[in-house]
Amino acid sequence: MTTSSPRSRVSLFWISLAVITALYLLFILAMLGATAAYTTPHHWLRALGSREIRYSVGLSLATCTATALLSLLLAVPVGYLLSRGRFRGKEALDAALDIPIVLPPMVVGLCLLILFQTPFGRAIERLVPFTYTVAGVVLAQFVIGAAFAVRTMHGTFDHLSSRPEDVAMTLGCSRGRAVWLVTIPAARRGMFAAASIAWARSLGEFGPILVFAGATRMKTEVLPTTVWLELSVGNLEAAVAVSLLMVALAMLVLVAVRLAGERV
Amino acid sequence: MIQLENICWRAGSFQLAGISLVVPARSYAVLMGRTGCGKTTLLEIICGLRRPEAGGVRIGDRDVTRDPPGERGIGYVPQDGALFPTMIVRDQIGFALRLRRRSATEIQQRVQELARQLGVDHLLDRLPHNLSGGERQRVALGRALAAKPSVLLLDEPLSALDEELRDDLAVLLKSIHRELQVTALHITHNGREAAQLADVLFRLDGGQVRESSLPAGSS
C-alpha cells in the first residue's frame, strides 16, 4: 500500500509533535539536572550559611514582594482601561505599554540612570533617593515586572463579561463601585497570577539592577547579583547553590499560579 | 409608563433613527425583532447604559435621559442573567437594598419573600456556577425586583432555556407582573413567547419600531 490511512497519518502527526515536545522538555530538564548535579547539599548549606548570601535572599524576597504589590496597583487600573475603555489611540497605548518587555534589560537600567540625572529625576531623588539604593532595586524590578502584570490583567478583564457590572450600575452603583464590588472580586485569580508573574520576573532581574542600583554587597545585592559576584571571584559552587535556590523559588511560583488557575 | 421620543443612535454603519414608542403603565410589552436589529441597544438606552445621540427617555412622568442607570428606578434582567460571579444568591438578591443602606432585617425579609415567590429559597447559599439556567434567570429576576422598581426590562430572558423551563418561567413572569404591577418591556425573537406574555406587542424592523397586533391565542 502506497498511501497511509487517515488514522495512521494523524498518528504520525501527533507522534512528531510529541517527539518535538519531549526533546524540548528533555533539554530543559538536562540543563536543570546538570546544574543540580554540579553541587552537593554540603556546598548548598555552606553557601546559604554565608551572611552576604542570606542578606541577598532576604533583600530579593522583600523587593520582589514590594514590586509585585506595586505592579498590581498599577496593573489593575491600566489593565481595566485597556480592556474596557473605548478611545482613540488605544492600540498605540497598548503597544507603548509593551516597551519595557521588548527593551534589552541593560538599556532599561541605563534609561533609569539617565532619567535620574535630569532635573526632574534629581527633584525626585531629593525626596526619595533611588540611584544605588534599595528603592532603586525595586524601581528597576518594577519597570519590567509591572509591564508583565499589566498584560496579565488586560487578559483577565478581557475574559470577564462586563454584563454583571452593567447590571450593578442599573441597581444603583456608580461605574467605580460596580468595578469594586463585582469585577475586582471576580478578577482575584488573575490578580494573583499578575502579582506572581511580576514577582517571578523581578526575582530574575539583573541588568537594570546592576546598572541603576549597583552590586554593592550587603546593600543592593539581590540573588542574580550574588550569582554574578560569586562567578566573578571563581566561587562556582556558591553561584550554583544560589542559582538552584532561584530555580526552586521560580518553580514554587509556577506551581502556585497553576493551582490558582491563571485563566479566569 | 416607558416613553421613547425620537431616539437616534449610531455605531458604524448600524443606526436607529427616530425611534418612538410608548409602553403604557403596568402593561407587559414585548418588543420583537430579528437578531442584530438593535433590540438590546434600545433596552440599554432605556437602562442608561448607552447614551442616545438624540431623543429622550421618560419613565413615568420623569425625563431620565441624562440620569445615571441607578437613578432610573428600573430592574434589568439580561439574556444570560449576568449574575455576580463571586456572590451567593442571598447577596445577589439583597444587592440593591444593601446599596440603599436598608437594615439587615429588612434585607433579609425582602430576600426571603422574593426567594419564596421565585422558588429559589432553597438556593440562597449557592454560588452562580452551581445553578441551572432556569435558576439563574429566577435569581436575576429577584435581584432586579428587590428594590421595587417601577419598570422591569428583560433582554431575551428565556432564550437560553429548554422549552419546558421556558413555559414555566413565562408563567412565573406573568404572575409576578400581575402581582407587582410593574411596567415590563421584554425583548425576544420568539413568537410563542410573545403570544404567552404580551399585552402590547412592538416590532423593530429596519431601524423603526411599530406597534403590532397581538398573535392569536395570546394572553
Side-chain angles (χ1 to χ4, degrees), chain A residues 86 161 163-173 177 181-182 185-186 188, chain B residues 40 44 49 69-70 74 76 78 82-87 95-96 99-100 143:
Chain A
R86 287 178 196 161
S161 164
R163 274 281 171 235
E165 229 172 272
D166 290 343
V167 174
M169 287 172 68
T170 66
L171 294 173
C173 284
R177 202 163 180 206
L181 294 175
V182 175
R188 64 191 188 283
Chain B
T40 296
E44 287 175 345
L49 296 169
I74 52 164
Y76 173 45
L83 296 181
F84 306 142
T86 57
M87 270 184 218
F95 187 82
L99 290 177
R100 287 160 179 74
R143 182 181 61 183

PDB file of all heavy atoms in Angstrom, chain A residues 86 161 163-173 177 181-182 185-186 188, chain B residues 40 44 49 69-70 74 76 78 82-87 95-96 99-100 143:
ATOM      1  N   ARG A  86     -12.921  52.581  25.519  1.00  0.00           N
ATOM      2  CA  ARG A  86     -13.014  52.769  24.064  1.00  0.00           C
ATOM      3  C   ARG A  86     -12.572  54.190  23.784  1.00  0.00           C
ATOM      4  O   ARG A  86     -13.285  55.138  24.115  1.00  0.00           O
ATOM      5  CB  ARG A  86     -14.456  52.578  23.591  1.00  0.00           C
ATOM      6  CG  ARG A  86     -14.877  51.136  23.616  1.00  0.00           C
ATOM      7  CD  ARG A  86     -16.314  50.999  23.186  1.00  0.00           C
ATOM      8  NE  ARG A  86     -16.825  49.700  23.563  1.00  0.00           N
ATOM      9  CZ  ARG A  86     -18.094  49.405  23.659  1.00  0.00           C
ATOM     10  NH1 ARG A  86     -18.998  50.310  23.414  1.00  0.00           N
ATOM     11  NH2 ARG A  86     -18.486  48.202  24.004  1.00  0.00           N
ATOM     12  N   SER A 161     -16.960  39.021  31.598  1.00  0.00           N
ATOM     13  CA  SER A 161     -18.040  39.759  30.938  1.00  0.00           C
ATOM     14  C   SER A 161     -18.275  41.094  31.651  1.00  0.00           C
ATOM     15  O   SER A 161     -18.181  41.178  32.876  1.00  0.00           O
ATOM     16  CB  SER A 161     -19.309  38.917  30.972  1.00  0.00           C
ATOM     17  OG  SER A 161     -20.430  39.712  30.694  1.00  0.00           O
ATOM     18  N   ARG A 163     -21.169  42.481  31.555  1.00  0.00           N
ATOM     19  CA  ARG A 163     -22.605  42.495  31.855  1.00  0.00           C
ATOM     20  C   ARG A 163     -22.921  42.628  33.359  1.00  0.00           C
ATOM     21  O   ARG A 163     -23.750  43.444  33.741  1.00  0.00           O
ATOM     22  CB  ARG A 163     -23.264  41.216  31.328  1.00  0.00           C
ATOM     23  CG  ARG A 163     -23.662  41.309  29.919  1.00  0.00           C
ATOM     24  CD  ARG A 163     -24.976  42.090  29.799  1.00  0.00           C
ATOM     25  NE  ARG A 163     -25.237  42.356  28.414  1.00  0.00           N
ATOM     26  CZ  ARG A 163     -25.450  43.565  27.908  1.00  0.00           C
ATOM     27  NH1 ARG A 163     -25.449  44.622  28.664  1.00  0.00           N
ATOM     28  NH2 ARG A 163     -25.688  43.728  26.639  1.00  0.00           N
ATOM     29  N   PRO A 164     -22.288  41.815  34.233  1.00  0.00           N
ATOM     30  CA  PRO A 164     -22.605  41.952  35.658  1.00  0.00           C
ATOM     31  C   PRO A 164     -22.360  43.379  36.165  1.00  0.00           C
ATOM     32  O   PRO A 164     -23.123  43.896  36.984  1.00  0.00           O
ATOM     33  CB  PRO A 164     -21.662  40.949  36.334  1.00  0.00           C
ATOM     34  CG  PRO A 164     -21.419  39.918  35.293  1.00  0.00           C
ATOM     35  CD  PRO A 164     -21.375  40.675  34.000  1.00  0.00           C
ATOM     36  N   GLU A 165     -21.322  44.008  35.638  1.00  0.00           N
ATOM     37  CA  GLU A 165     -21.024  45.396  36.013  1.00  0.00           C
ATOM     38  C   GLU A 165     -22.165  46.324  35.578  1.00  0.00           C
ATOM     39  O   GLU A 165     -22.573  47.208  36.334  1.00  0.00           O
ATOM     40  CB  GLU A 165     -19.769  45.791  35.240  1.00  0.00           C
ATOM     41  CG  GLU A 165     -18.696  46.435  36.045  1.00  0.00           C
ATOM     42  CD  GLU A 165     -17.480  46.573  35.149  1.00  0.00           C
ATOM     43  OE1 GLU A 165     -16.697  45.612  35.114  1.00  0.00           O
ATOM     44  OE2 GLU A 165     -17.331  47.602  34.487  1.00  0.00           O
ATOM     45  N   ASP A 166     -22.671  46.100  34.353  1.00  0.00           N
ATOM     46  CA  ASP A 166     -23.790  46.900  33.836  1.00  0.00           C
ATOM     47  C   ASP A 166     -25.010  46.731  34.745  1.00  0.00           C
ATOM     48  O   ASP A 166     -25.684  47.703  35.082  1.00  0.00           O
ATOM     49  CB  ASP A 166     -24.167  46.458  32.411  1.00  0.00           C
ATOM     50  CG  ASP A 166     -23.113  46.840  31.396  1.00  0.00           C
ATOM     51  OD1 ASP A 166     -22.268  47.702  31.704  1.00  0.00           O
ATOM     52  OD2 ASP A 166     -23.118  46.267  30.290  1.00  0.00           O
ATOM     53  N   VAL A 167     -25.273  45.475  35.126  1.00  0.00           N
ATOM     54  CA  VAL A 167     -26.428  45.218  35.988  1.00  0.00           C
ATOM     55  C   VAL A 167     -26.253  45.937  37.326  1.00  0.00           C
ATOM     56  O   VAL A 167     -27.181  46.578  37.827  1.00  0.00           O
ATOM     57  CB  VAL A 167     -26.623  43.696  36.217  1.00  0.00           C
ATOM     58  CG1 VAL A 167     -27.722  43.445  37.237  1.00  0.00           C
ATOM     59  CG2 VAL A 167     -26.950  42.998  34.916  1.00  0.00           C
ATOM     60  N   ALA A 168     -25.036  45.873  37.881  1.00  0.00           N
ATOM     61  CA  ALA A 168     -24.775  46.548  39.168  1.00  0.00           C
ATOM     62  C   ALA A 168     -25.052  48.046  39.040  1.00  0.00           C
ATOM     63  O   ALA A 168     -25.562  48.666  39.974  1.00  0.00           O
ATOM     64  CB  ALA A 168     -23.340  46.299  39.599  1.00  0.00           C
ATOM     65  N   MET A 169     -24.740  48.612  37.880  1.00  0.00           N
ATOM     66  CA  MET A 169     -24.998  50.041  37.687  1.00  0.00           C
ATOM     67  C   MET A 169     -26.499  50.331  37.650  1.00  0.00           C
ATOM     68  O   MET A 169     -26.948  51.336  38.174  1.00  0.00           O
ATOM     69  CB  MET A 169     -24.313  50.537  36.413  1.00  0.00           C
ATOM     70  CG  MET A 169     -22.811  50.632  36.600  1.00  0.00           C
ATOM     71  SD  MET A 169     -21.965  50.994  35.074  1.00  0.00           S
ATOM     72  CE  MET A 169     -22.509  52.655  34.749  1.00  0.00           C
ATOM     73  N   THR A 170     -27.273  49.431  37.021  1.00  0.00           N
ATOM     74  CA  THR A 170     -28.730  49.666  36.995  1.00  0.00           C
ATOM     75  C   THR A 170     -29.329  49.517  38.403  1.00  0.00           C
ATOM     76  O   THR A 170     -30.383  50.037  38.690  1.00  0.00           O
ATOM     77  CB  THR A 170     -29.469  48.695  36.047  1.00  0.00           C
ATOM     78  OG1 THR A 170     -29.351  47.373  36.567  1.00  0.00           O
ATOM     79  CG2 THR A 170     -28.924  48.765  34.636  1.00  0.00           C
ATOM     80  N   LEU A 171     -28.610  48.806  39.278  1.00  0.00           N
ATOM     81  CA  LEU A 171     -29.130  48.601  40.642  1.00  0.00           C
ATOM     82  C   LEU A 171     -28.729  49.729  41.596  1.00  0.00           C
ATOM     83  O   LEU A 171     -29.140  49.738  42.746  1.00  0.00           O
ATOM     84  CB  LEU A 171     -28.627  47.260  41.195  1.00  0.00           C
ATOM     85  CG  LEU A 171     -29.152  46.016  40.470  1.00  0.00           C
ATOM     86  CD1 LEU A 171     -28.474  44.758  40.971  1.00  0.00           C
ATOM     87  CD2 LEU A 171     -30.665  45.891  40.619  1.00  0.00           C
ATOM     88  N   GLY A 172     -27.874  50.642  41.122  1.00  0.00           N
ATOM     89  CA  GLY A 172     -27.549  51.805  41.960  1.00  0.00           C
ATOM     90  C   GLY A 172     -26.072  52.100  42.136  1.00  0.00           C
ATOM     91  O   GLY A 172     -25.714  53.035  42.847  1.00  0.00           O
ATOM     92  N   CYS A 173     -25.198  51.307  41.519  1.00  0.00           N
ATOM     93  CA  CYS A 173     -23.755  51.557  41.669  1.00  0.00           C
ATOM     94  C   CYS A 173     -23.284  52.600  40.659  1.00  0.00           C
ATOM     95  O   CYS A 173     -23.813  52.682  39.553  1.00  0.00           O
ATOM     96  CB  CYS A 173     -22.961  50.284  41.356  1.00  0.00           C
ATOM     97  SG  CYS A 173     -22.987  49.051  42.637  1.00  0.00           S
ATOM     98  N   ARG A 177     -17.875  51.883  41.700  1.00  0.00           N
ATOM     99  CA  ARG A 177     -18.350  50.980  42.750  1.00  0.00           C
ATOM    100  C   ARG A 177     -18.699  49.609  42.171  1.00  0.00           C
ATOM    101  O   ARG A 177     -18.467  48.573  42.807  1.00  0.00           O
ATOM    102  CB  ARG A 177     -19.569  51.610  43.423  1.00  0.00           C
ATOM    103  CG  ARG A 177     -19.800  51.070  44.795  1.00  0.00           C
ATOM    104  CD  ARG A 177     -20.708  51.938  45.581  1.00  0.00           C
ATOM    105  NE  ARG A 177     -20.890  51.374  46.900  1.00  0.00           N
ATOM    106  CZ  ARG A 177     -21.947  51.590  47.646  1.00  0.00           C
ATOM    107  NH1 ARG A 177     -22.920  52.363  47.213  1.00  0.00           N
ATOM    108  NH2 ARG A 177     -22.044  51.037  48.840  1.00  0.00           N
ATOM    109  N   LEU A 181     -17.115  46.253  43.580  1.00  0.00           N
ATOM    110  CA  LEU A 181     -17.945  45.235  44.239  1.00  0.00           C
ATOM    111  C   LEU A 181     -18.127  43.971  43.406  1.00  0.00           C
ATOM    112  O   LEU A 181     -18.338  42.894  43.955  1.00  0.00           O
ATOM    113  CB  LEU A 181     -19.336  45.817  44.575  1.00  0.00           C
ATOM    114  CG  LEU A 181     -19.381  46.935  45.606  1.00  0.00           C
ATOM    115  CD1 LEU A 181     -20.799  47.472  45.742  1.00  0.00           C
ATOM    116  CD2 LEU A 181     -18.885  46.436  46.964  1.00  0.00           C
ATOM    117  N   VAL A 182     -18.076  44.101  42.093  1.00  0.00           N
ATOM    118  CA  VAL A 182     -18.408  42.956  41.236  1.00  0.00           C
ATOM    119  C   VAL A 182     -17.199  42.431  40.450  1.00  0.00           C
ATOM    120  O   VAL A 182     -16.908  41.234  40.465  1.00  0.00           O
ATOM    121  CB  VAL A 182     -19.557  43.350  40.259  1.00  0.00           C
ATOM    122  CG1 VAL A 182     -19.834  42.229  39.277  1.00  0.00           C
ATOM    123  CG2 VAL A 182     -20.813  43.699  41.036  1.00  0.00           C
ATOM    124  N   PRO A 185     -13.637  41.357  42.701  1.00  0.00           N
ATOM    125  CA  PRO A 185     -13.674  40.019  43.313  1.00  0.00           C
ATOM    126  C   PRO A 185     -13.617  38.899  42.270  1.00  0.00           C
ATOM    127  O   PRO A 185     -13.008  37.862  42.497  1.00  0.00           O
ATOM    128  CB  PRO A 185     -15.016  40.007  44.061  1.00  0.00           C
ATOM    129  CG  PRO A 185     -15.354  41.432  44.285  1.00  0.00           C
ATOM    130  CD  PRO A 185     -14.785  42.185  43.122  1.00  0.00           C
ATOM    131  N   ALA A 186     -14.244  39.125  41.108  1.00  0.00           N
ATOM    132  CA  ALA A 186     -14.233  38.083  40.070  1.00  0.00           C
ATOM    133  C   ALA A 186     -12.851  37.953  39.426  1.00  0.00           C
ATOM    134  O   ALA A 186     -12.534  36.917  38.848  1.00  0.00           O
ATOM    135  CB  ALA A 186     -15.277  38.406  39.009  1.00  0.00           C
ATOM    136  N   ARG A 188      -9.977  38.007  41.003  1.00  0.00           N
ATOM    137  CA  ARG A 188      -8.957  37.748  42.032  1.00  0.00           C
ATOM    138  C   ARG A 188      -7.892  36.731  41.575  1.00  0.00           C
ATOM    139  O   ARG A 188      -6.717  36.890  41.907  1.00  0.00           O
ATOM    140  CB  ARG A 188      -9.593  37.327  43.356  1.00  0.00           C
ATOM    141  CG  ARG A 188     -10.341  36.026  43.298  1.00  0.00           C
ATOM    142  CD  ARG A 188     -11.166  35.831  44.565  1.00  0.00           C
ATOM    143  NE  ARG A 188     -11.745  34.509  44.625  1.00  0.00           N
ATOM    144  CZ  ARG A 188     -12.814  34.131  43.928  1.00  0.00           C
ATOM    145  NH1 ARG A 188     -13.396  34.993  43.118  1.00  0.00           N
ATOM    146  NH2 ARG A 188     -13.289  32.912  44.040  1.00  0.00           N
TER     147      ARG A 188
ATOM    148  N   THR B  40     -31.470  44.989  21.797  1.00  0.00           N
ATOM    149  CA  THR B  40     -30.691  45.126  23.036  1.00  0.00           C
ATOM    150  C   THR B  40     -30.183  46.561  23.197  1.00  0.00           C
ATOM    151  O   THR B  40     -30.204  47.118  24.303  1.00  0.00           O
ATOM    152  CB  THR B  40     -29.516  44.120  23.022  1.00  0.00           C
ATOM    153  OG1 THR B  40     -30.067  42.809  23.024  1.00  0.00           O
ATOM    154  CG2 THR B  40     -28.623  44.274  24.240  1.00  0.00           C
ATOM    155  N   GLU B  44     -30.737  48.974  26.320  1.00  0.00           N
ATOM    156  CA  GLU B  44     -29.617  49.591  27.041  1.00  0.00           C
ATOM    157  C   GLU B  44     -29.751  51.112  27.082  1.00  0.00           C
ATOM    158  O   GLU B  44     -29.288  51.744  28.037  1.00  0.00           O
ATOM    159  CB  GLU B  44     -28.293  49.178  26.386  1.00  0.00           C
ATOM    160  CG  GLU B  44     -27.954  47.717  26.686  1.00  0.00           C
ATOM    161  CD  GLU B  44     -26.718  47.213  25.966  1.00  0.00           C
ATOM    162  OE1 GLU B  44     -26.263  47.885  25.011  1.00  0.00           O
ATOM    163  OE2 GLU B  44     -26.216  46.138  26.336  1.00  0.00           O
ATOM    164  N   LEU B  49     -27.399  52.621  29.948  1.00  0.00           N
ATOM    165  CA  LEU B  49     -26.062  52.062  29.719  1.00  0.00           C
ATOM    166  C   LEU B  49     -25.482  52.583  28.406  1.00  0.00           C
ATOM    167  O   LEU B  49     -24.280  52.494  28.165  1.00  0.00           O
ATOM    168  CB  LEU B  49     -26.119  50.533  29.704  1.00  0.00           C
ATOM    169  CG  LEU B  49     -26.532  49.902  31.025  1.00  0.00           C
ATOM    170  CD1 LEU B  49     -26.819  48.417  30.856  1.00  0.00           C
ATOM    171  CD2 LEU B  49     -25.445  50.096  32.089  1.00  0.00           C
ATOM    172  N   PRO B  69     -27.826  55.149  35.280  1.00  0.00           N
ATOM    173  CA  PRO B  69     -28.688  53.948  35.301  1.00  0.00           C
ATOM    174  C   PRO B  69     -29.333  53.683  36.663  1.00  0.00           C
ATOM    175  O   PRO B  69     -30.505  53.317  36.737  1.00  0.00           O
ATOM    176  CB  PRO B  69     -27.728  52.815  34.921  1.00  0.00           C
ATOM    177  CG  PRO B  69     -26.612  53.466  34.207  1.00  0.00           C
ATOM    178  CD  PRO B  69     -26.489  54.854  34.744  1.00  0.00           C
ATOM    179  N   GLY B  70     -28.563  53.878  37.733  1.00  0.00           N
ATOM    180  CA  GLY B  70     -29.038  53.528  39.067  1.00  0.00           C
ATOM    181  C   GLY B  70     -30.120  54.447  39.599  1.00  0.00           C
ATOM    182  O   GLY B  70     -30.739  54.158  40.622  1.00  0.00           O
ATOM    183  N   ILE B  74     -35.259  51.272  37.568  1.00  0.00           N
ATOM    184  CA  ILE B  74     -35.513  50.133  36.684  1.00  0.00           C
ATOM    185  C   ILE B  74     -34.925  48.850  37.281  1.00  0.00           C
ATOM    186  O   ILE B  74     -33.995  48.894  38.082  1.00  0.00           O
ATOM    187  CB  ILE B  74     -34.871  50.348  35.289  1.00  0.00           C
ATOM    188  CG1 ILE B  74     -33.389  50.708  35.456  1.00  0.00           C
ATOM    189  CG2 ILE B  74     -35.597  51.403  34.490  1.00  0.00           C
ATOM    190  CD1 ILE B  74     -32.595  50.568  34.209  1.00  0.00           C
ATOM    191  N   TYR B  76     -33.290  45.317  35.653  1.00  0.00           N
ATOM    192  CA  TYR B  76     -32.799  44.861  34.350  1.00  0.00           C
ATOM    193  C   TYR B  76     -32.387  43.397  34.446  1.00  0.00           C
ATOM    194  O   TYR B  76     -31.593  43.024  35.314  1.00  0.00           O
ATOM    195  CB  TYR B  76     -31.608  45.758  33.964  1.00  0.00           C
ATOM    196  CG  TYR B  76     -30.855  45.358  32.722  1.00  0.00           C
ATOM    197  CD1 TYR B  76     -31.494  44.986  31.554  1.00  0.00           C
ATOM    198  CD2 TYR B  76     -29.455  45.398  32.717  1.00  0.00           C
ATOM    199  CE1 TYR B  76     -30.780  44.651  30.415  1.00  0.00           C
ATOM    200  CE2 TYR B  76     -28.727  45.072  31.578  1.00  0.00           C
ATOM    201  CZ  TYR B  76     -29.399  44.690  30.431  1.00  0.00           C
ATOM    202  OH  TYR B  76     -28.688  44.364  29.315  1.00  0.00           O
ATOM    203  N   PRO B  78     -30.624  40.735  32.059  1.00  0.00           N
ATOM    204  CA  PRO B  78     -30.015  40.459  30.761  1.00  0.00           C
ATOM    205  C   PRO B  78     -30.198  39.004  30.336  1.00  0.00           C
ATOM    206  O   PRO B  78     -30.640  38.167  31.127  1.00  0.00           O
ATOM    207  CB  PRO B  78     -28.536  40.773  30.971  1.00  0.00           C
ATOM    208  CG  PRO B  78     -28.355  41.062  32.398  1.00  0.00           C
ATOM    209  CD  PRO B  78     -29.633  40.838  33.121  1.00  0.00           C
ATOM    210  N   ALA B  82     -26.439  37.294  33.905  1.00  0.00           N
ATOM    211  CA  ALA B  82     -25.279  38.107  34.322  1.00  0.00           C
ATOM    212  C   ALA B  82     -25.205  38.215  35.844  1.00  0.00           C
ATOM    213  O   ALA B  82     -25.085  39.308  36.402  1.00  0.00           O
ATOM    214  CB  ALA B  82     -25.310  39.479  33.664  1.00  0.00           C
ATOM    215  N   LEU B  83     -25.283  37.076  36.504  1.00  0.00           N
ATOM    216  CA  LEU B  83     -25.161  37.091  37.968  1.00  0.00           C
ATOM    217  C   LEU B  83     -23.747  37.476  38.361  1.00  0.00           C
ATOM    218  O   LEU B  83     -22.803  37.271  37.591  1.00  0.00           O
ATOM    219  CB  LEU B  83     -25.518  35.707  38.525  1.00  0.00           C
ATOM    220  CG  LEU B  83     -26.964  35.254  38.292  1.00  0.00           C
ATOM    221  CD1 LEU B  83     -27.204  33.887  38.907  1.00  0.00           C
ATOM    222  CD2 LEU B  83     -27.958  36.255  38.845  1.00  0.00           C
ATOM    223  N   PHE B  84     -23.595  38.022  39.546  1.00  0.00           N
ATOM    224  CA  PHE B  84     -22.267  38.409  40.028  1.00  0.00           C
ATOM    225  C   PHE B  84     -21.510  37.118  40.393  1.00  0.00           C
ATOM    226  O   PHE B  84     -21.954  36.368  41.267  1.00  0.00           O
ATOM    227  CB  PHE B  84     -22.378  39.329  41.239  1.00  0.00           C
ATOM    228  CG  PHE B  84     -23.255  40.539  40.993  1.00  0.00           C
ATOM    229  CD1 PHE B  84     -24.099  41.026  41.969  1.00  0.00           C
ATOM    230  CD2 PHE B  84     -23.228  41.193  39.760  1.00  0.00           C
ATOM    231  CE1 PHE B  84     -24.911  42.127  41.739  1.00  0.00           C
ATOM    232  CE2 PHE B  84     -24.036  42.299  39.516  1.00  0.00           C
ATOM    233  CZ  PHE B  84     -24.880  42.761  40.514  1.00  0.00           C
ATOM    234  N   PRO B  85     -20.372  36.861  39.731  1.00  0.00           N
ATOM    235  CA  PRO B  85     -19.760  35.520  39.825  1.00  0.00           C
ATOM    236  C   PRO B  85     -19.345  35.082  41.223  1.00  0.00           C
ATOM    237  O   PRO B  85     -19.329  33.889  41.495  1.00  0.00           O
ATOM    238  CB  PRO B  85     -18.526  35.620  38.923  1.00  0.00           C
ATOM    239  CG  PRO B  85     -18.636  36.891  38.184  1.00  0.00           C
ATOM    240  CD  PRO B  85     -19.629  37.759  38.857  1.00  0.00           C
ATOM    241  N   THR B  86     -19.022  36.024  42.106  1.00  0.00           N
ATOM    242  CA  THR B  86     -18.490  35.598  43.412  1.00  0.00           C
ATOM    243  C   THR B  86     -19.494  35.758  44.557  1.00  0.00           C
ATOM    244  O   THR B  86     -19.123  35.603  45.718  1.00  0.00           O
ATOM    245  CB  THR B  86     -17.220  36.395  43.756  1.00  0.00           C
ATOM    246  OG1 THR B  86     -17.557  37.785  43.745  1.00  0.00           O
ATOM    247  CG2 THR B  86     -16.105  36.136  42.762  1.00  0.00           C
ATOM    248  N   MET B  87     -20.742  36.101  44.237  1.00  0.00           N
ATOM    249  CA  MET B  87     -21.726  36.321  45.310  1.00  0.00           C
ATOM    250  C   MET B  87     -22.722  35.185  45.382  1.00  0.00           C
ATOM    251  O   MET B  87     -23.189  34.702  44.341  1.00  0.00           O
ATOM    252  CB  MET B  87     -22.511  37.608  45.029  1.00  0.00           C
ATOM    253  CG  MET B  87     -21.897  38.843  45.610  1.00  0.00           C
ATOM    254  SD  MET B  87     -22.980  40.238  45.290  1.00  0.00           S
ATOM    255  CE  MET B  87     -21.741  41.474  44.970  1.00  0.00           C
ATOM    256  N   PHE B  95     -28.527  42.765  46.931  1.00  0.00           N
ATOM    257  CA  PHE B  95     -27.504  43.737  46.492  1.00  0.00           C
ATOM    258  C   PHE B  95     -28.042  45.172  46.431  1.00  0.00           C
ATOM    259  O   PHE B  95     -27.466  46.097  47.026  1.00  0.00           O
ATOM    260  CB  PHE B  95     -26.969  43.308  45.121  1.00  0.00           C
ATOM    261  CG  PHE B  95     -25.804  44.111  44.630  1.00  0.00           C
ATOM    262  CD1 PHE B  95     -24.520  43.825  45.059  1.00  0.00           C
ATOM    263  CD2 PHE B  95     -25.984  45.149  43.716  1.00  0.00           C
ATOM    264  CE1 PHE B  95     -23.437  44.569  44.592  1.00  0.00           C
ATOM    265  CE2 PHE B  95     -24.914  45.885  43.251  1.00  0.00           C
ATOM    266  CZ  PHE B  95     -23.639  45.598  43.685  1.00  0.00           C
ATOM    267  N   ALA B  96     -29.173  45.362  45.728  1.00  0.00           N
ATOM    268  CA  ALA B  96     -29.706  46.724  45.539  1.00  0.00           C
ATOM    269  C   ALA B  96     -30.111  47.335  46.879  1.00  0.00           C
ATOM    270  O   ALA B  96     -29.981  48.547  47.084  1.00  0.00           O
ATOM    271  CB  ALA B  96     -30.887  46.685  44.597  1.00  0.00           C
ATOM    272  N   LEU B  99     -27.026  48.527  48.795  1.00  0.00           N
ATOM    273  CA  LEU B  99     -26.563  49.807  48.237  1.00  0.00           C
ATOM    274  C   LEU B  99     -27.388  50.965  48.793  1.00  0.00           C
ATOM    275  O   LEU B  99     -26.892  52.072  48.969  1.00  0.00           O
ATOM    276  CB  LEU B  99     -26.689  49.815  46.709  1.00  0.00           C
ATOM    277  CG  LEU B  99     -25.739  48.931  45.912  1.00  0.00           C
ATOM    278  CD1 LEU B  99     -26.068  49.017  44.426  1.00  0.00           C
ATOM    279  CD2 LEU B  99     -24.288  49.328  46.134  1.00  0.00           C
ATOM    280  N   ARG B 100     -28.661  50.672  49.066  1.00  0.00           N
ATOM    281  CA  ARG B 100     -29.545  51.718  49.588  1.00  0.00           C
ATOM    282  C   ARG B 100     -29.520  51.785  51.108  1.00  0.00           C
ATOM    283  O   ARG B 100     -30.349  52.444  51.721  1.00  0.00           O
ATOM    284  CB  ARG B 100     -30.972  51.472  49.091  1.00  0.00           C
ATOM    285  CG  ARG B 100     -31.136  51.800  47.619  1.00  0.00           C
ATOM    286  CD  ARG B 100     -32.356  51.137  46.990  1.00  0.00           C
ATOM    287  NE  ARG B 100     -32.499  51.478  45.584  1.00  0.00           N
ATOM    288  CZ  ARG B 100     -31.733  50.993  44.596  1.00  0.00           C
ATOM    289  NH1 ARG B 100     -30.772  50.138  44.875  1.00  0.00           N
ATOM    290  NH2 ARG B 100     -31.916  51.367  43.352  1.00  0.00           N
ATOM    291  N   ARG B 143     -33.098  39.651  41.840  1.00  0.00           N
ATOM    292  CA  ARG B 143     -32.141  40.754  42.034  1.00  0.00           C
ATOM    293  C   ARG B 143     -32.694  42.047  41.433  1.00  0.00           C
ATOM    294  O   ARG B 143     -32.567  43.121  42.015  1.00  0.00           O
ATOM    295  CB  ARG B 143     -30.812  40.368  41.375  1.00  0.00           C
ATOM    296  CG  ARG B 143     -29.724  41.380  41.523  1.00  0.00           C
ATOM    297  CD  ARG B 143     -28.464  40.929  40.826  1.00  0.00           C
ATOM    298  NE  ARG B 143     -28.670  40.745  39.390  1.00  0.00           N
ATOM    299  CZ  ARG B 143     -27.759  40.301  38.543  1.00  0.00           C
ATOM    300  NH1 ARG B 143     -26.563  39.975  38.993  1.00  0.00           N
ATOM    301  NH2 ARG B 143     -28.020  40.167  37.264  1.00  0.00           N
TER     302      ARG B 143
END
